[in-house]
Amino acid sequence: MTQQGVRWTADQVLALAPDAASRKAGSKLGAAGPWSEAGSSDEGTMWGLCKGSGSKPYQTVIDIADASGPAYKCSCPSRKFPCKHALGLLLLWAGGEGAVPPAQQPPDWAEEWTKGRRQRADEKRTAGASGSSTASADPEAARRRAERRAVRVTAGATELEQRLADLLRGGLAGAEQAGYGLWEETAARMVDAQAPGLAARVRELGAIPASGPGWPVRLLEECALLHLLDQGWLRREGLPDALGDTVRSRIGLPASADGPPVRDRWLVLAQYDTADTKLTTRRIWLYGAESGRTALLLSYGAAGRAPELALPVGLALEAEVSTYPGAGQLRAALGEQFAPPAPAVIRPPGVTTTEATARYGEALRDDPWLDSVPVTLDRVVPTPDGDSWQLADADTDSALPLTPAYRARPGLWRLVALSGGAPVKVFGECGHRGFTPLTAWPEGQGEVVQLC
């Protein structure tokens, strides 16, 4: 099938927007009015000129066949990725055959960018293979670097254990009086120790005393998990290999996705971003139609910039993924892609709410620091529960509460509207705080609806 036979929906296009403002602005450009000389190729490239405020129109070109998701280039000054013009061109293309017609030859500016990008991708793959050979050529140097880092991490974990002991000896009330500065200084010490995972958990501790009623219990729970992670590192030699890999991952040590590549038709279940002052993290959940596996892709962008990896929800791609080491590890790396993302009718099998909580409990045995697991719930109905909401099984008397943070998001009302009191299939993350819906399907053959 050529790219001309593959059409995305408007929701799948708008899911790529870096923020709400871009989504709104891109929607306004999804009509033919501002566009001229728009065209597309069977190789997955589309281009067009968009009239802006200046005398010269903006040149926009998109490659949807890129292995890491759509790639964009626009002559506008926007630093957003994709910009509103790229979103508008994708919406124009998604609207039907005639708006972005097939063309025999792209304009020079579009062809130059496409060829240059694909040439750089080839060079990067070649350099990556060469770099791997070079790195493996001196294993002794790599071993010495790893040993030096392990010594620093051990010193940091030992210092953190002493600080946790001092906190408990003095009483948790002291954490509220000390303020956030104490935790930030401790986190900086963990960064110096080259243990970014410990630093992140320490920063989370600092926010708990200001999190409302019941904070001492939550602080004690998180301190216990941090103590467990410290002890896991300090006693790592006695751990099973898989659990030891999990501890190293939680500490923040780098690892390679060295699991055997799994080729499958992967459905993009969900995509969403979280951000802090330094980094934007994108999480993309995949489901393998043949393997039945669920995999997590992580991508990062500097503060204020969206990560480059973007896969529209509801599409499927034939590709290889390789998992990272660790007990129960779902994180994977996207490998070779054999076809561009295309619409699919794949749906993951669902479970009951009782089975979902059991699945999270089982996962905790492999990774005690796990916040949630990916789960698809079958035939659930969103229902109010006092001041809260829950997903109730349509066929049993069990239910799962929604996470407090999700109840304030607009996705809740999309879910309620989609259901209309009838059962729906919902994919999301199930953990100790409750269930966070990410996508849903109505009963029958309706398209996936994004809730995040």
Side-chain angles (χ1 to χ4, degrees), residues 265-285:
R265 194 159 182 243
W266 297 94
L267 172 67
V268 185
L269 286 173
Q271 173 180 293
Y272 68 94
D273 296 348
T274 56
D276 57 29
T277 57
K278 297 182 179 180
L279 195 68
T280 298
T281 302
R282 174 164 293 164
R283 299 167 67 89
I284 301 176
W285 286 108

Side-chain angles (χ1 to χ4, degrees), residues 1 33 36-37 66 88 132 157 179-180 184 186 217 252 279 335 348 369 376 440 446:
M1 179 183 291
S36 61
E37 300 183 29
D66 189 88
S132 298
Y180 191 77
E184 185 58 39
T186 304
V217 174
L279 195 68
W369 306 277
T376 301

Side-chain angles (χ1 to χ4, degrees), residues 114-126:
T114 303
K115 286 184 176 179
R117 179 176 178 80
R118 291 176 181 173
Q119 181 180 351
R120 289 191 297 272
D122 291 340
E123 292 173 351
K124 186 176 181 180
R125 282 192 292 269
T126 302

Side-chain angles (χ1 to χ4, degrees), residues 308-388:
E308 288 195 11
L309 181 61
L311 297 174
V313 174
L315 300 189
L317 62 155
E318 186 176 353
E320 290 181 341
V321 300
S322 300
T323 58
Y324 284 80
Q329 179 64 261
L330 294 177
R331 186 188 174 190
L334 183 64
E336 184 176 358
Q337 184 176 332
F338 304 97
V345 294
I346 303 169
R347 291 188 182 188
V351 300
T352 65
T353 56
T354 300
E355 291 168 331
T357 54
R359 184 173 295 182
Y360 176 57
E362 292 167 0
L364 286 175
R365 292 183 302 186
D366 292 329
D367 185 352
W369 306 277
L370 190 64
D371 285 330
S372 60
V373 293
V375 173
T376 301
L377 299 176
D378 215 3
R379 290 182 52 77
V380 291
V381 181
T383 57
D385 179 28
D387 294 333
S388 304

Side-chain angles (χ1 to χ4, degrees), residues 91-291:
L91 288 171
L92 189 67
W93 167 77
E97 293 279 348
V100 186
Q104 294 294 326
Q105 183 70 28
D108 291 343
W109 53 268
E111 185 173 25
E112 181 181 355
W113 175 79
T114 303
K115 286 184 176 179
R117 179 176 178 80
R118 291 176 181 173
Q119 181 180 351
R120 289 191 297 272
D122 291 340
E123 292 173 351
K124 186 176 181 180
R125 282 192 292 269
T126 302
S130 174
S132 298
S133 301
T134 303
S136 61
D138 192 0
E140 180 61 25
R143 185 188 64 80
R144 290 196 298 269
R145 287 194 298 271
E147 286 183 349
R148 289 195 295 270
R149 182 167 188 175
V151 170
R152 293 191 185 97
V153 174
T154 297
T158 302
E159 178 181 346
L160 183 55
E161 282 290 276
Q162 184 60 53
R163 296 199 178 203
L164 290 175
D166 291 343
L167 171 66
L168 296 178
R169 187 180 301 110
L172 295 181
E176 187 177 31
Q177 298 168 0
Y180 191 77
L182 169 66
W183 302 106
E184 185 58 39
E185 189 269 337
T186 304
R189 295 285 296 165
M190 296 305 104
V191 171
D192 293 339
Q194 294 186 291
L198 293 180
R201 286 186 169 269
V202 168
R203 289 193 178 97
E204 291 175 1
L205 291 182
I208 293 177
S211 63
W215 69 263
V217 174
R218 293 191 292 276
L219 181 60
L220 184 60
E221 290 173 347
E222 294 302 322
C223 284
L225 286 171
L226 188 52
H227 167 68
L228 183 64
L229 184 55
D230 277 341
Q231 290 298 314
W233 172 262
L234 295 173
R235 305 183 185 189
R236 61 192 180 281
E237 301 301 333
L239 297 178
D241 290 344
L243 183 57
D245 287 337
T246 299
V247 168
R248 292 180 182 88
S249 174
R250 293 295 182 182
I251 288 287
L253 299 187
S256 300
D258 55 5
V262 177
R263 180 170 177 171
D264 206 336
R265 194 159 182 243
W266 297 94
L267 172 67
V268 185
L269 286 173
Q271 173 180 293
Y272 68 94
D273 296 348
T274 56
D276 57 29
T277 57
K278 297 182 179 180
L279 195 68
T280 298
T281 302
R282 174 164 293 164
R283 299 167 67 89
I284 301 176
W285 286 108
L286 304 178
Y287 171 75
E290 296 181 9
S291 64

Side-chain angles (χ1 to χ4, degrees), residues 373-442:
V373 293
V375 173
T376 301
L377 299 176
D378 215 3
R379 290 182 52 77
V380 291
V381 181
T383 57
D385 179 28
D387 294 333
S388 304
W389 282 81
Q390 61 184 3
L391 294 177
D393 270 318
D395 305 313
T396 71
D397 59 355
S398 61
L400 264 177
L402 298 185
T403 52
Y406 187 79
R407 296 197 296 265
R409 299 178 189 172
L412 170 61
W413 304 114
R414 295 192 72 181
L415 177 59
V416 172
L418 177 69
S419 166
V424 291
K425 181 189 286 279
V426 182
F427 170 77
E429 296 172 348
C430 179
H432 60 95
R433 297 183 181 89
F435 188 87
T436 299
L438 299 176
T439 50
W441 300 261

